[in-house]
Amino acid sequence: MHVDEVTSVRLRRLAALLGAVGPVVFTLGWGIGQAVQDGRYDPGRDDISDLGALTARHPWVVLTGQALGGAAIVVFALVALRFLVRDSRAGRVGAWLLALSGLGLGNLLDTLFRLDCRAADGCDHAHRAASWHGTIHEIGGVTILLLAMAPLVLTMAFRHLPGWAGFALASQAVGSVQLLLLMAYLALGGHDGSGYVQRAIGLLAAAWIVTLAVRVLRRPRSMLSPSPDEASPEPVGRPAL
């Protein structure tokens, strides 16, 4: 294996490690962030996004978790996961869906485009998104749908990986449950219980991503290195490193 190939494999394994750590960082961010809010904030009713609103207490806590966690998941999806499923069109699409999802790019965008105020402050939907950055934040909410679609699309790629049939079934179940939870969240529309449903979506997705990243890390190095027909030929007279 060439030196540059060894380096590429190491980078992909580092990306997989980021995939295992990123969701944990994000979860800790919103968990601690909601703990430091005042008594008016209700996790059972109020969104995670409210923790980063302009009127939130210590918004840097959740914003830091979103920035670090989101960046880690984007790198994992596009560097390690996309390479792993490179032979499947569905796999490549699924990797991009994960990168653009609510736990990936969606989290990064939330740190830039913050809501104007919390619902706990008596702020209705119109006032929360009154500014241009609040409006963009609300539009970016579509990324949560991508979070549910990613496991479903990737299922088609996982079925063709040796030893991944069981995880393919699990991914299909995760995606299906997330779609049901998303419909329940939309139906509740900010009323009691919607906050718990949103957190269930986030926790389920985080657990799935961590499990996926750990599986990638535990695979043989050959799973993250080019196949023989993809590797560049050795120059004549020069031994492989």
mmCIF file of all heavy atoms in Angstrom, residues 20-70:
data_model
loop_
_atom_site.group_PDB
_atom_site.id
_atom_site.type_symbol
_atom_site.label_atom_id
_atom_site.label_comp_id
_atom_site.label_asym_id
_atom_site.label_seq_id
_atom_site.Cartn_x
_atom_site.Cartn_y
_atom_site.Cartn_z
ATOM 1 N N ALA A 20 -18.418 8.932 15.585
ATOM 2 C CA ALA A 20 -18.821 8.337 16.858
ATOM 3 C C ALA A 20 -18.903 9.371 17.974
ATOM 4 O O ALA A 20 -19.699 9.229 18.905
ATOM 5 C CB ALA A 20 -17.836 7.227 17.248
ATOM 6 N N VAL A 21 -18.085 10.419 17.863
ATOM 7 C CA VAL A 21 -18.018 11.429 18.922
ATOM 8 C C VAL A 21 -19.020 12.566 18.699
ATOM 9 O O VAL A 21 -19.616 13.085 19.650
ATOM 10 C CB VAL A 21 -16.587 11.995 19.028
ATOM 11 C CG1 VAL A 21 -16.530 13.162 20.007
ATOM 12 C CG2 VAL A 21 -15.619 10.901 19.449
ATOM 13 N N GLY A 22 -19.220 12.959 17.435
ATOM 14 C CA GLY A 22 -20.061 14.106 17.118
ATOM 15 C C GLY A 22 -21.452 14.084 17.716
ATOM 16 O O GLY A 22 -21.874 15.055 18.362
ATOM 17 N N PRO A 23 -22.217 12.991 17.546
ATOM 18 C CA PRO A 23 -23.570 12.963 18.119
ATOM 19 C C PRO A 23 -23.571 13.064 19.635
ATOM 20 O O PRO A 23 -24.508 13.620 20.219
ATOM 21 C CB PRO A 23 -24.104 11.599 17.654
ATOM 22 C CG PRO A 23 -23.304 11.259 16.441
ATOM 23 C CD PRO A 23 -21.947 11.805 16.718
ATOM 24 N N VAL A 24 -22.534 12.538 20.274
ATOM 25 C CA VAL A 24 -22.453 12.610 21.742
ATOM 26 C C VAL A 24 -22.239 14.058 22.175
ATOM 27 O O VAL A 24 -22.864 14.533 23.133
ATOM 28 C CB VAL A 24 -21.307 11.718 22.256
ATOM 29 C CG1 VAL A 24 -21.166 11.852 23.770
ATOM 30 C CG2 VAL A 24 -21.541 10.257 21.870
ATOM 31 N N VAL A 25 -21.365 14.764 21.455
ATOM 32 C CA VAL A 25 -21.103 16.173 21.773
ATOM 33 C C VAL A 25 -22.372 17.001 21.618
ATOM 34 O O VAL A 25 -22.697 17.833 22.479
ATOM 35 C CB VAL A 25 -19.986 16.727 20.861
ATOM 36 C CG1 VAL A 25 -19.835 18.238 21.050
ATOM 37 C CG2 VAL A 25 -18.667 16.036 21.154
ATOM 38 N N PHE A 26 -23.111 16.766 20.535
ATOM 39 C CA PHE A 26 -24.354 17.496 20.317
ATOM 40 C C PHE A 26 -25.376 17.208 21.412
ATOM 41 O O PHE A 26 -26.017 18.118 21.947
ATOM 42 C CB PHE A 26 -24.942 17.150 18.951
ATOM 43 C CG PHE A 26 -26.351 17.625 18.755
ATOM 44 C CD1 PHE A 26 -26.653 18.976 18.826
ATOM 45 C CD2 PHE A 26 -27.378 16.720 18.515
ATOM 46 C CE1 PHE A 26 -27.960 19.423 18.654
ATOM 47 C CE2 PHE A 26 -28.684 17.154 18.335
ATOM 48 C CZ PHE A 26 -28.978 18.510 18.413
ATOM 49 N N THR A 27 -25.512 15.930 21.763
ATOM 50 C CA THR A 27 -26.477 15.549 22.797
ATOM 51 C C THR A 27 -26.124 16.167 24.145
ATOM 52 O O THR A 27 -26.999 16.661 24.870
ATOM 53 C CB THR A 27 -26.546 14.015 22.916
ATOM 54 O OG1 THR A 27 -26.895 13.452 21.641
ATOM 55 C CG2 THR A 27 -27.588 13.597 23.941
ATOM 56 N N LEU A 28 -24.847 16.148 24.494
ATOM 57 C CA LEU A 28 -24.411 16.790 25.737
ATOM 58 C C LEU A 28 -24.694 18.289 25.692
ATOM 59 O O LEU A 28 -25.078 18.891 26.703
ATOM 60 C CB LEU A 28 -22.922 16.550 25.964
ATOM 61 C CG LEU A 28 -22.516 15.138 26.396
ATOM 62 C CD1 LEU A 28 -21.000 15.018 26.440
ATOM 63 C CD2 LEU A 28 -23.120 14.799 27.749
ATOM 64 N N GLY A 29 -24.519 18.886 24.514
ATOM 65 C CA GLY A 29 -24.749 20.322 24.363
ATOM 66 C C GLY A 29 -26.174 20.717 24.694
ATOM 67 O O GLY A 29 -26.402 21.637 25.493
ATOM 68 N N TRP A 30 -27.146 20.015 24.086
ATOM 69 C CA TRP A 30 -28.528 20.420 24.375
ATOM 70 C C TRP A 30 -28.986 19.921 25.750
ATOM 71 O O TRP A 30 -29.841 20.544 26.382
ATOM 72 C CB TRP A 30 -29.500 20.006 23.273
ATOM 73 C CG TRP A 30 -29.735 18.552 23.001
ATOM 74 C CD1 TRP A 30 -29.246 17.828 21.959
ATOM 75 C CD2 TRP A 30 -30.570 17.640 23.741
ATOM 76 N NE1 TRP A 30 -29.706 16.533 21.997
ATOM 77 C CE2 TRP A 30 -30.533 16.401 23.079
ATOM 78 C CE3 TRP A 30 -31.345 17.757 24.886
ATOM 79 C CZ2 TRP A 30 -31.221 15.277 23.527
ATOM 80 C CZ3 TRP A 30 -32.044 16.645 25.346
ATOM 81 C CH2 TRP A 30 -31.976 15.432 24.664
ATOM 82 N N GLY A 31 -28.378 18.824 26.240
ATOM 83 C CA GLY A 31 -28.744 18.356 27.565
ATOM 84 C C GLY A 31 -28.322 19.341 28.654
ATOM 85 O O GLY A 31 -29.109 19.680 29.550
ATOM 86 N N ILE A 32 -27.087 19.816 28.544
ATOM 87 C CA ILE A 32 -26.605 20.809 29.505
ATOM 88 C C ILE A 32 -27.293 22.147 29.260
ATOM 89 O O ILE A 32 -27.640 22.870 30.204
ATOM 90 C CB ILE A 32 -25.073 20.953 29.401
ATOM 91 C CG1 ILE A 32 -24.394 19.631 29.763
ATOM 92 C CG2 ILE A 32 -24.576 22.076 30.320
ATOM 93 C CD1 ILE A 32 -22.903 19.631 29.524
ATOM 94 N N GLY A 33 -27.508 22.476 27.987
ATOM 95 C CA GLY A 33 -28.132 23.753 27.642
ATOM 96 C C GLY A 33 -29.512 23.911 28.240
ATOM 97 O O GLY A 33 -29.863 24.990 28.727
ATOM 98 N N GLN A 34 -30.304 22.851 28.234
ATOM 99 C CA GLN A 34 -31.653 22.964 28.800
ATOM 100 C C GLN A 34 -31.615 22.965 30.328
ATOM 101 O O GLN A 34 -32.507 23.513 30.983
ATOM 102 C CB GLN A 34 -32.554 21.850 28.287
ATOM 103 C CG GLN A 34 -32.255 20.464 28.815
ATOM 104 C CD GLN A 34 -33.162 19.410 28.192
ATOM 105 O OE1 GLN A 34 -33.697 19.574 27.090
ATOM 106 N NE2 GLN A 34 -33.359 18.313 28.892
ATOM 107 N N ALA A 35 -30.548 22.380 30.905
ATOM 108 C CA ALA A 35 -30.431 22.355 32.366
ATOM 109 C C ALA A 35 -30.133 23.735 32.936
ATOM 110 O O ALA A 35 -30.464 24.008 34.100
ATOM 111 C CB ALA A 35 -29.344 21.367 32.784
ATOM 112 N N VAL A 36 -29.518 24.619 32.140
ATOM 113 C CA VAL A 36 -29.151 25.947 32.654
ATOM 114 C C VAL A 36 -30.179 27.015 32.291
ATOM 115 O O VAL A 36 -29.966 28.198 32.563
ATOM 116 C CB VAL A 36 -27.753 26.374 32.131
ATOM 117 C CG1 VAL A 36 -26.693 25.413 32.615
ATOM 118 C CG2 VAL A 36 -27.736 26.477 30.607
ATOM 119 N N GLN A 37 -31.304 26.621 31.685
ATOM 120 C CA GLN A 37 -32.362 27.587 31.392
ATOM 121 C C GLN A 37 -33.158 27.896 32.660
ATOM 122 O O GLN A 37 -33.090 27.177 33.654
ATOM 123 C CB GLN A 37 -33.300 27.037 30.312
ATOM 124 C CG GLN A 37 -32.631 26.765 28.973
ATOM 125 C CD GLN A 37 -31.953 27.979 28.385
ATOM 126 O OE1 GLN A 37 -32.577 29.030 28.191
ATOM 127 N NE2 GLN A 37 -30.655 27.854 28.099
ATOM 128 N N ASP A 38 -33.936 28.957 32.598
ATOM 129 C CA ASP A 38 -34.791 29.278 33.737
ATOM 130 C C ASP A 38 -36.010 28.363 33.746
ATOM 131 O O ASP A 38 -36.225 27.575 32.820
ATOM 132 C CB ASP A 38 -35.224 30.749 33.683
ATOM 133 C CG ASP A 38 -35.903 31.098 32.366
ATOM 134 O OD1 ASP A 38 -36.914 30.442 32.034
ATOM 135 O OD2 ASP A 38 -35.435 32.014 31.668
ATOM 136 N N GLY A 39 -36.813 28.486 34.801
ATOM 137 C CA GLY A 39 -37.944 27.593 34.998
ATOM 138 C C GLY A 39 -39.029 27.690 33.950
ATOM 139 O O GLY A 39 -39.867 26.798 33.848
ATOM 140 N N ARG A 40 -39.032 28.766 33.166
ATOM 141 C CA ARG A 40 -40.074 28.900 32.139
ATOM 142 C C ARG A 40 -39.858 27.950 30.970
ATOM 143 O O ARG A 40 -40.791 27.621 30.235
ATOM 144 C CB ARG A 40 -40.112 30.348 31.639
ATOM 145 C CG ARG A 40 -40.633 31.348 32.666
ATOM 146 C CD ARG A 40 -40.553 32.769 32.124
ATOM 147 N NE ARG A 40 -39.159 33.175 31.882
ATOM 148 C CZ ARG A 40 -38.793 34.342 31.350
ATOM 149 N NH1 ARG A 40 -39.731 35.208 30.977
ATOM 150 N NH2 ARG A 40 -37.521 34.643 31.185
ATOM 151 N N TYR A 41 -38.615 27.532 30.771
ATOM 152 C CA TYR A 41 -38.319 26.622 29.663
ATOM 153 C C TYR A 41 -38.774 25.212 30.021
ATOM 154 O O TYR A 41 -38.411 24.670 31.066
ATOM 155 C CB TYR A 41 -36.819 26.621 29.359
ATOM 156 C CG TYR A 41 -36.448 25.758 28.158
ATOM 157 C CD1 TYR A 41 -36.515 26.275 26.874
ATOM 158 C CD2 TYR A 41 -36.070 24.432 28.332
ATOM 159 C CE1 TYR A 41 -36.193 25.484 25.780
ATOM 160 C CE2 TYR A 41 -35.752 23.640 27.251
ATOM 161 C CZ TYR A 41 -35.819 24.171 25.966
ATOM 162 O OH TYR A 41 -35.507 23.385 24.888
ATOM 163 N N ASP A 42 -39.583 24.617 29.143
ATOM 164 C CA ASP A 42 -40.149 23.294 29.382
ATOM 165 C C ASP A 42 -39.664 22.327 28.302
ATOM 166 O O ASP A 42 -40.093 22.422 27.142
ATOM 167 C CB ASP A 42 -41.673 23.373 29.367
ATOM 168 C CG ASP A 42 -42.326 22.026 29.655
ATOM 169 O OD1 ASP A 42 -41.595 21.041 29.889
ATOM 170 O OD2 ASP A 42 -43.569 21.964 29.641
ATOM 171 N N PRO A 43 -38.773 21.383 28.633
ATOM 172 C CA PRO A 43 -38.272 20.432 27.631
ATOM 173 C C PRO A 43 -39.373 19.594 26.992
ATOM 174 O O PRO A 43 -39.203 19.103 25.875
ATOM 175 C CB PRO A 43 -37.314 19.544 28.441
ATOM 176 C CG PRO A 43 -36.943 20.358 29.632
ATOM 177 C CD PRO A 43 -38.162 21.172 29.949
ATOM 178 N N GLY A 44 -40.484 19.435 27.690
ATOM 179 C CA GLY A 44 -41.583 18.661 27.130
ATOM 180 C C GLY A 44 -42.355 19.394 26.060
ATOM 181 O O GLY A 44 -43.078 18.785 25.275
ATOM 182 N N ARG A 45 -42.196 20.710 26.010
ATOM 183 C CA ARG A 45 -42.958 21.517 25.058
ATOM 184 C C ARG A 45 -42.047 22.312 24.111
ATOM 185 O O ARG A 45 -42.357 22.468 22.933
ATOM 186 C CB ARG A 45 -43.846 22.490 25.824
ATOM 187 C CG ARG A 45 -44.695 23.415 24.947
ATOM 188 C CD ARG A 45 -45.265 24.556 25.770
ATOM 189 N NE ARG A 45 -44.199 25.412 26.315
ATOM 190 C CZ ARG A 45 -44.075 25.738 27.595
ATOM 191 N NH1 ARG A 45 -44.931 25.282 28.479
ATOM 192 N NH2 ARG A 45 -43.078 26.500 28.000
ATOM 193 N N ASP A 46 -40.933 22.823 24.634
ATOM 194 C CA ASP A 46 -40.091 23.746 23.875
ATOM 195 C C ASP A 46 -39.019 23.014 23.062
ATOM 196 O O ASP A 46 -38.484 21.982 23.484
ATOM 197 C CB ASP A 46 -39.422 24.746 24.821
ATOM 198 C CG ASP A 46 -40.452 25.589 25.559
ATOM 199 O OD1 ASP A 46 -41.498 25.902 24.949
ATOM 200 O OD2 ASP A 46 -40.220 25.935 26.740
ATOM 201 N N ASP A 47 -38.700 23.577 21.914
ATOM 202 C CA ASP A 47 -37.736 22.974 20.999
ATOM 203 C C ASP A 47 -36.300 23.122 21.486
ATOM 204 O O ASP A 47 -35.969 24.034 22.248
ATOM 205 C CB ASP A 47 -37.836 23.625 19.619
ATOM 206 C CG ASP A 47 -39.074 23.188 18.862
ATOM 207 O OD1 ASP A 47 -39.728 22.228 19.297
ATOM 208 O OD2 ASP A 47 -39.375 23.818 17.825
ATOM 209 N N ILE A 48 -35.451 22.244 20.985
ATOM 210 C CA ILE A 48 -34.021 22.351 21.238
ATOM 211 C C ILE A 48 -33.481 23.661 20.656
ATOM 212 O O ILE A 48 -32.603 24.297 21.246
ATOM 213 C CB ILE A 48 -33.277 21.142 20.636
ATOM 214 C CG1 ILE A 48 -33.673 19.860 21.376
ATOM 215 C CG2 ILE A 48 -31.766 21.345 20.694
ATOM 216 C CD1 ILE A 48 -33.097 18.597 20.758
ATOM 217 N N SER A 49 -34.011 24.067 19.515
ATOM 218 C CA SER A 49 -33.544 25.292 18.858
ATOM 219 C C SER A 49 -33.697 26.518 19.755
ATOM 220 O O SER A 49 -32.919 27.476 19.644
ATOM 221 C CB SER A 49 -34.316 25.525 17.560
ATOM 222 O OG SER A 49 -34.024 24.528 16.609
ATOM 223 N N ASP A 50 -34.689 26.503 20.644
ATOM 224 C CA ASP A 50 -34.901 27.636 21.539
ATOM 225 C C ASP A 50 -33.718 27.849 22.476
ATOM 226 O O ASP A 50 -33.519 28.951 22.999
ATOM 227 C CB ASP A 50 -36.168 27.423 22.363
ATOM 228 C CG ASP A 50 -37.430 27.710 21.560
ATOM 229 O OD1 ASP A 50 -37.340 27.745 20.322
ATOM 230 O OD2 ASP A 50 -38.502 27.893 22.162
ATOM 231 N N LEU A 51 -32.938 26.794 22.699
ATOM 232 C CA LEU A 51 -31.778 26.909 23.578
ATOM 233 C C LEU A 51 -30.708 27.823 22.991
ATOM 234 O O LEU A 51 -29.862 28.350 23.716
ATOM 235 C CB LEU A 51 -31.173 25.526 23.850
ATOM 236 C CG LEU A 51 -32.083 24.505 24.541
ATOM 237 C CD1 LEU A 51 -31.422 23.140 24.572
ATOM 238 C CD2 LEU A 51 -32.420 24.974 25.955
ATOM 239 N N GLY A 52 -30.745 28.014 21.685
ATOM 240 C CA GLY A 52 -29.774 28.879 21.029
ATOM 241 C C GLY A 52 -30.358 30.198 20.589
ATOM 242 O O GLY A 52 -29.698 30.969 19.875
ATOM 243 N N ALA A 53 -31.603 30.475 20.982
ATOM 244 C CA ALA A 53 -32.255 31.729 20.592
ATOM 245 C C ALA A 53 -31.543 32.929 21.217
ATOM 246 O O ALA A 53 -30.789 32.799 22.192
ATOM 247 C CB ALA A 53 -33.720 31.702 21.029
ATOM 248 N N LEU A 54 -31.805 34.097 20.660
ATOM 249 C CA LEU A 54 -31.142 35.314 21.132
ATOM 250 C C LEU A 54 -31.491 35.632 22.579
ATOM 251 O O LEU A 54 -30.712 36.295 23.281
ATOM 252 C CB LEU A 54 -31.521 36.493 20.237
ATOM 253 C CG LEU A 54 -31.117 36.383 18.760
ATOM 254 C CD1 LEU A 54 -31.530 37.639 18.007
ATOM 255 C CD2 LEU A 54 -29.617 36.153 18.617
ATOM 256 N N THR A 55 -32.641 35.163 23.063
ATOM 257 C CA THR A 55 -33.058 35.453 24.443
ATOM 258 C C THR A 55 -32.767 34.305 25.402
ATOM 259 O O THR A 55 -33.144 34.366 26.572
ATOM 260 C CB THR A 55 -34.564 35.769 24.483
ATOM 261 O OG1 THR A 55 -35.291 34.631 23.978
ATOM 262 C CG2 THR A 55 -34.898 36.997 23.652
ATOM 263 N N ALA A 56 -32.117 33.234 24.915
ATOM 264 C CA ALA A 56 -31.844 32.075 25.767
ATOM 265 C C ALA A 56 -30.726 32.381 26.756
ATOM 266 O O ALA A 56 -29.880 33.255 26.527
ATOM 267 C CB ALA A 56 -31.461 30.873 24.911
ATOM 268 N N ARG A 57 -30.713 31.644 27.857
ATOM 269 C CA ARG A 57 -29.624 31.751 28.822
ATOM 270 C C ARG A 57 -28.471 30.846 28.385
ATOM 271 O O ARG A 57 -28.663 29.691 28.038
ATOM 272 C CB ARG A 57 -30.093 31.332 30.213
ATOM 273 C CG ARG A 57 -31.163 32.231 30.829
ATOM 274 C CD ARG A 57 -31.468 31.795 32.260
ATOM 275 N NE ARG A 57 -30.308 31.902 33.126
ATOM 276 C CZ ARG A 57 -30.267 31.458 34.387
ATOM 277 N NH1 ARG A 57 -31.329 30.867 34.910
ATOM 278 N NH2 ARG A 57 -29.179 31.596 35.120
ATOM 279 N N HIS A 58 -27.270 31.403 28.386
ATOM 280 C CA HIS A 58 -26.057 30.652 28.033
ATOM 281 C C HIS A 58 -26.226 29.891 26.707
ATOM 282 O O HIS A 58 -26.002 28.670 26.647
ATOM 283 C CB HIS A 58 -25.687 29.674 29.146
ATOM 284 C CG HIS A 58 -25.634 30.293 30.512
ATOM 285 N ND1 HIS A 58 -24.724 31.282 30.841
ATOM 286 C CD2 HIS A 58 -26.393 30.086 31.626
ATOM 287 C CE1 HIS A 58 -24.904 31.641 32.106
ATOM 288 N NE2 HIS A 58 -25.922 30.948 32.599
ATOM 289 N N PRO A 59 -26.607 30.577 25.638
ATOM 290 C CA PRO A 59 -26.823 29.886 24.368
ATOM 291 C C PRO A 59 -25.557 29.242 23.803
ATOM 292 O O PRO A 59 -25.636 28.317 22.996
ATOM 293 C CB PRO A 59 -27.336 30.998 23.447
ATOM 294 C CG PRO A 59 -26.779 32.257 24.027
ATOM 295 C CD PRO A 59 -26.814 32.036 25.518
ATOM 296 N N TRP A 60 -24.379 29.725 24.229
ATOM 297 C CA TRP A 60 -23.125 29.187 23.713
ATOM 298 C C TRP A 60 -22.977 27.698 24.003
ATOM 299 O O TRP A 60 -22.259 26.980 23.277
ATOM 300 C CB TRP A 60 -21.935 29.952 24.306
ATOM 301 C CG TRP A 60 -21.783 29.800 25.795
ATOM 302 C CD1 TRP A 60 -22.323 30.578 26.776
ATOM 303 C CD2 TRP A 60 -21.044 28.763 26.457
ATOM 304 N NE1 TRP A 60 -21.964 30.107 28.016
ATOM 305 C CE2 TRP A 60 -21.174 28.993 27.856
ATOM 306 C CE3 TRP A 60 -20.283 27.681 26.019
ATOM 307 C CZ2 TRP A 60 -20.575 28.168 28.801
ATOM 308 C CZ3 TRP A 60 -19.681 26.851 26.965
ATOM 309 C CH2 TRP A 60 -19.828 27.101 28.335
ATOM 310 N N VAL A 61 -23.661 27.211 25.039
ATOM 311 C CA VAL A 61 -23.539 25.795 25.396
ATOM 312 C C VAL A 61 -24.074 24.918 24.272
ATOM 313 O O VAL A 61 -23.377 24.036 23.752
ATOM 314 C CB VAL A 61 -24.286 25.495 26.706
ATOM 315 C CG1 VAL A 61 -24.219 23.997 27.024
ATOM 316 C CG2 VAL A 61 -23.698 26.297 27.856
ATOM 317 N N VAL A 62 -25.308 25.147 23.860
ATOM 318 C CA VAL A 62 -25.885 24.332 22.797
ATOM 319 C C VAL A 62 -25.277 24.685 21.451
ATOM 320 O O VAL A 62 -25.090 23.810 20.595
ATOM 321 C CB VAL A 62 -27.424 24.483 22.760
ATOM 322 C CG1 VAL A 62 -27.834 25.862 22.270
ATOM 323 C CG2 VAL A 62 -28.038 23.403 21.866
ATOM 324 N N LEU A 63 -24.927 25.949 21.235
ATOM 325 C CA LEU A 63 -24.339 26.344 19.957
ATOM 326 C C LEU A 63 -22.985 25.682 19.744
ATOM 327 O O LEU A 63 -22.642 25.284 18.626
ATOM 328 C CB LEU A 63 -24.202 27.868 19.882
ATOM 329 C CG LEU A 63 -25.515 28.660 19.873
ATOM 330 C CD1 LEU A 63 -25.231 30.155 19.880
ATOM 331 C CD2 LEU A 63 -26.366 28.285 18.666
ATOM 332 N N THR A 64 -22.213 25.547 20.809
ATOM 333 C CA THR A 64 -20.926 24.858 20.703
ATOM 334 C C THR A 64 -21.134 23.386 20.365
ATOM 335 O O THR A 64 -20.437 22.827 19.508
ATOM 336 C CB THR A 64 -20.134 24.977 22.026
ATOM 337 O OG1 THR A 64 -19.896 26.354 22.309
ATOM 338 C CG2 THR A 64 -18.803 24.247 21.926
ATOM 339 N N GLY A 65 -22.098 22.763 21.039
ATOM 340 C CA GLY A 65 -22.397 21.368 20.745
ATOM 341 C C GLY A 65 -22.873 21.169 19.316
ATOM 342 O O GLY A 65 -22.513 20.191 18.654
ATOM 343 N N GLN A 66 -23.680 22.114 18.839
ATOM 344 C CA GLN A 66 -24.171 22.018 17.462
ATOM 345 C C GLN A 66 -23.038 22.198 16.450
ATOM 346 O O GLN A 66 -22.967 21.476 15.451
ATOM 347 C CB GLN A 66 -25.243 23.074 17.221
ATOM 348 C CG GLN A 66 -26.566 22.771 17.892
ATOM 349 C CD GLN A 66 -27.612 23.839 17.609
ATOM 350 O OE1 GLN A 66 -27.347 25.025 17.760
ATOM 351 N NE2 GLN A 66 -28.793 23.422 17.208
ATOM 352 N N ALA A 67 -22.161 23.151 16.694
ATOM 353 C CA ALA A 67 -21.073 23.432 15.760
ATOM 354 C C ALA A 67 -20.109 22.252 15.673
ATOM 355 O O ALA A 67 -19.782 21.770 14.574
ATOM 356 C CB ALA A 67 -20.331 24.699 16.180
ATOM 357 N N LEU A 68 -19.649 21.776 16.828
ATOM 358 C CA LEU A 68 -18.682 20.679 16.842
ATOM 359 C C LEU A 68 -19.321 19.371 16.386
ATOM 360 O O LEU A 68 -18.750 18.640 15.570
ATOM 361 C CB LEU A 68 -18.105 20.518 18.249
ATOM 362 C CG LEU A 68 -17.285 21.696 18.783
ATOM 363 C CD1 LEU A 68 -16.800 21.417 20.202
ATOM 364 C CD2 LEU A 68 -16.105 21.996 17.870
ATOM 365 N N GLY A 69 -20.514 19.089 16.899
ATOM 366 C CA GLY A 69 -21.189 17.859 16.513
ATOM 367 C C GLY A 69 -21.579 17.845 15.051
ATOM 368 O O GLY A 69 -21.403 16.841 14.359
ATOM 369 N N GLY A 70 -22.100 18.975 14.568
ATOM 370 C CA GLY A 70 -22.502 19.050 13.162
ATOM 371 C C GLY A 70 -21.329 18.895 12.224
ATOM 372 O O GLY A 70 -21.397 18.153 11.236
#
